[in-house]
Amino acid sequence: MRPFPRPRPVRASLRRKIAALAAATACLVAAAVGGLVHLWTAQDIRGRAEARAFNGVYSAMDVYQRTGTLADGAELDPAELPAALRHPADGARHTAYDGRVDANLGPTVWAAQRVGGPDSPVLAMRVNMSGELHGLRRLDVSMAVASLVALAAAVPLAVYGAGLLGRRLRRVSETAGRISAGDLDARTGSVKGGDEVADIAATVDLMADSLSRRLRNERQFTADVAHELRTPVGGLLAAADLLPAGGTEDLLRARVRDLRGLIEDLLEISRLDAGAEQPVRAHVPLGAVVRDAVARTGCVATVTVEDTPGTEGTSTTEAAATVETDPRRLERIVGNLVVNAHRHGGTPVEVTVEGRTVVVRDRGPGFPAELLRDGPRRFHTGAAERGSGHGLGLTIARGQARVLGAELHLGNAPEGGAVATLRLPALPA
């Protein structure tokens, strides 16, 4: 299975972004509401002041026409009267706003009306709005304080809500990462709800179910085919033994043996994929096991066993550490790496044992970039220059290393050649 790119974890910056967005939204809402309330209140204050001035002129005009006296603060042709009201064109009542502010008067609304003919004086009355405007300023301060309080309450709530969202997204991200790493049993079961995050989690679970089902079908198919082929291939091998000796018989026998080896590899991979393999551990000298594994391959390779810490002197034979592992699986890994180096790399092949680490190096063109990026894939050699082959050796080596709890790293040396490094786990305390 080709690994997927590992998703990036959901970072704490999401909470900061949501908190900043909530704060900005709260500020905009508070500013909009405050502005609307201010404008509405100011318009209401001015409208009520105009009504008071208009009604005041009506009452004062009635008193002046009946008694000839000025009442309720009315004035005739006052010097402060705005120019718009100083020479009215008719005898109707008119109002005007005077926004001038001096030491004694604040913003004022005037109402005026001629007392008689076109040349008669103008009776005027003014209503000072200083008290109402002072109340408007107090209202503005109250709105600002209320907005700050609301903002102080909204930001922590937004941070808390963003934290909940971030944790749910993090669960989805971690589950997707586990699935891409090969854990097809991972599910986002803890992500509940009816929002988009729950939809994403459900989609990830459906994807994992579909992928797991497809892989199980493929593994089962591979295992079934390999199992069914064992009997006819065994028959072919037995039949080849009955052929007369000669070049044809040798060629046929070699091809049948290759086919049997391929079937055994497929069965081994099927067991590894199914998790049915369990190691049988024993305390063994690592250097001796590696040397025996190289000898069984029939390939020429230089085996060097380095000194381990605490060993006196220098030796290249038996100074490797004693490890607790499954020697059969360890031989399988080392043998596959050596065979792969001979088949797809170049000589000389060097095997170095140091501590719990085994390094197999060749002098060929190195592992292709695709293999280093995606890992070994079955039935795929990765590059034409590395020769032909069914491409199962590295896949089996990595699977067996996983069973042993070891790490198998594939890389290329700076001066050329492929380098496979196997690190066995430390002895339990």
Side-chain angles (χ1 to χ4, degrees):
M1 180 180 67
R2 181 174 180 174
F4 296 95
R6 192 171 184 84
R8 296 181 178 179
V10 180
R11 298 183 174 88
S13 60
L14 177 62
R15 294 196 295 271
R16 292 194 294 269
K17 291 178 180 178
I18 294 181
L21 179 60
T25 303
C27 289
L28 289 175
V29 172
V33 172
L36 291 175
V37 170
H38 176 88
L39 292 175
W40 182 85
T41 305
Q43 185 177 6
D44 181 68
I45 290 173
R46 182 168 174 176
R48 287 188 284 109
E50 290 178 350
R52 287 169 53 194
F54 196 86
N55 294 334
V57 168
Y58 179 83
S59 299
M61 181 64 71
D62 181 65
V63 173
Y64 181 79
Q65 290 178 347
R66 285 188 294 105
T67 64
T69 60
L70 298 174
D72 300 329
E75 302 176 68
L76 290 177
D77 293 330
E80 298 88 357
L81 187 65
L85 302 179
R86 191 170 297 278
H87 303 289
D90 53 26
R93 289 185 296 274
H94 300 277
T95 59
Y97 173 75
D98 186 3
R100 295 174 295 176
V101 179
D102 55 25
N104 299 320
L105 297 176
T108 303
V109 172
W110 288 84
Q113 182 181 8
R114 287 193 181 277
V115 297
D119 296 328
S120 62
V122 175
L123 186 144
M125 179 173 288
R126 57 187 168 188
V127 175
N128 195 315
M129 298 188 300
S130 297
E132 289 82 354
L133 293 180
H134 178 69
L136 177 60
R137 287 191 292 272
R138 292 178 59 185
L139 177 63
D140 291 339
V141 173
S142 300
M143 290 290 296
V145 172
S147 298
L148 292 177
V149 172
L151 181 61
V155 171
L157 291 176
V159 172
Y160 176 74
L164 292 178
L165 176 62
R167 284 190 290 273
R168 298 173 70 206
L169 289 174
R170 189 178 297 110
R171 292 192 193 104
V172 176
S173 175
E174 290 173 352
T175 302
R178 291 170 57 190
I179 293 172
S180 69
D183 184 6
L184 299 182
D185 294 327
R187 296 295 183 272
T188 60
S190 58
V191 179
K192 304 296 183 181
D195 56 1
E196 289 79 2
V197 178
D199 292 341
I200 295 174
T203 303
V204 171
D205 289 345
L206 289 175
M207 176 195 69
D209 291 337
S210 176
L211 184 60
S212 178
R213 186 164 51 251
R214 290 181 59 185
L215 288 178
R216 282 196 302 268
N217 292 337
E218 291 179 3
R219 291 168 181 172
Q220 187 62 42
F221 175 77
T222 301
D224 292 343
V225 169
H227 181 76
E228 294 297 328
L229 287 176
R230 294 182 71 179
T231 300
V233 169
L236 284 175
L237 189 59
D241 291 336
L242 301 177
L243 294 175
T248 303
E249 185 268 343
D250 292 338
L251 180 61
L252 179 60
R253 185 190 298 268
R255 291 296 178 263
V256 174
R257 286 174 178 170
D258 289 342
L259 182 58
R260 184 177 64 177
L262 172 60
I263 293 173
E264 296 297 333
D265 288 346
L266 288 175
L267 287 173
E268 183 175 358
I269 288 177
S270 298
R271 292 193 298 270
L272 291 171
D273 289 341
E277 295 288 310
Q278 296 296 330
V280 180
R281 300 184 183 276
H283 290 272
V284 294
L286 181 57
V289 175
V290 170
R291 188 174 291 103
D292 291 344
V294 174
R296 285 191 176 91
T297 63
C299 300
V300 178
T302 302
V303 180
T304 304
V305 181
E306 302 289 348
D307 281 336
T308 57
T311 302
E312 296 182 359
T314 301
S315 174
T316 59
T317 56
E318 299 295 339
T322 297
V323 296
E324 182 182 8
T325 187
D326 187 330
R328 181 182 67 84
R329 299 182 190 279
L330 179 58
E331 289 182 0
R332 179 69 161 151
I333 297 172
V334 175
N336 279 13
L337 294 178
V338 172
V339 170
N340 183 80
H342 272 273
R343 182 174 297 171
H344 305 302
T347 57
V349 177
E350 300 174 354
V351 182
T352 304
V353 181
E354 181 177 2
R356 293 184 301 274
T357 302
V358 180
V359 179
V360 179
R361 178 178 177 182
D362 63 49
R363 292 299 188 275
F367 292 114
E370 182 182 2
L371 186 145
L372 297 179
R373 183 182 67 250
D374 301 332
R377 290 186 285 165
R378 61 197 66 176
F379 301 107
H380 184 77
T381 59
E385 65 270 15
R386 292 185 63 84
S388 61
H390 49 71
L392 297 181
L394 292 179
T395 303
I396 293 175
R398 175 159 289 185
Q400 294 289 7
R402 188 163 50 247
V403 172
L404 296 180
E407 296 180 2
L408 178 59
H409 175 73
L410 304 178
N412 293 324
E415 60 273 18
V419 180
T421 304
L422 176 68
R423 294 186 179 90
L424 296 174
L427 291 173

